[in-house]
Amino acid sequence: MPARKISVFGREFKMPRSRGLRITIGIVLTIGGILGFLPILGFWMVPLGLLVLSYEFAMVRRHRRRFVVWWERRRRPD
């Protein structure tokens, strides 16, 4: 199975092959982002964690795709 990649702002990052590790990373990033008021942690971690989780869970993936469609329509000049 080829390694999964995440594209963030035009850059691609390889994700671990282990599904459990990908889920763990996504959950840790999301929880760390909720604690964004603490030093080092930041609210930027929430969308990144959800992005990682969207590759594993259909419900999160649907929301990501809806957001991408909305974003592209918003950016497109009429």
Side-chain angles (χ1 to χ4, degrees):
M1 174 195 285
R4 293 182 182 246
K5 294 180 182 178
I6 289 183
S7 179
V8 179
F9 297 117
R11 296 186 66 190
E12 287 190 349
F13 300 94
K14 289 183 182 178
M15 291 198 304
R17 289 186 184 266
S18 166
R19 181 173 193 254
L21 186 56
R22 288 189 305 261
I23 292 171
T24 302
I25 289 170
I27 290 172
V28 167
L29 283 169
T30 304
I31 291 172
I34 292 171
L35 301 174
F37 58 88
L38 297 172
I40 299 175
L41 302 175
F43 294 112
W44 58 269
M45 296 170 78
V46 173
L48 188 60
L50 292 175
L51 178 66
V52 171
L53 290 174
S54 74
Y55 283 85
E56 300 302 323
F57 299 107
M59 186 175 83
V60 183
R61 187 171 30 250
R62 269 192 301 273
H63 290 293
R64 176 180 52 96
R65 288 181 181 162
R66 284 182 184 167
F67 175 76
V68 169
V69 168
W70 172 81
W71 185 257
E72 290 301 321
R73 285 183 182 161
R74 186 172 172 257
R75 288 184 50 199
R76 187 177 344 146
D78 289 333

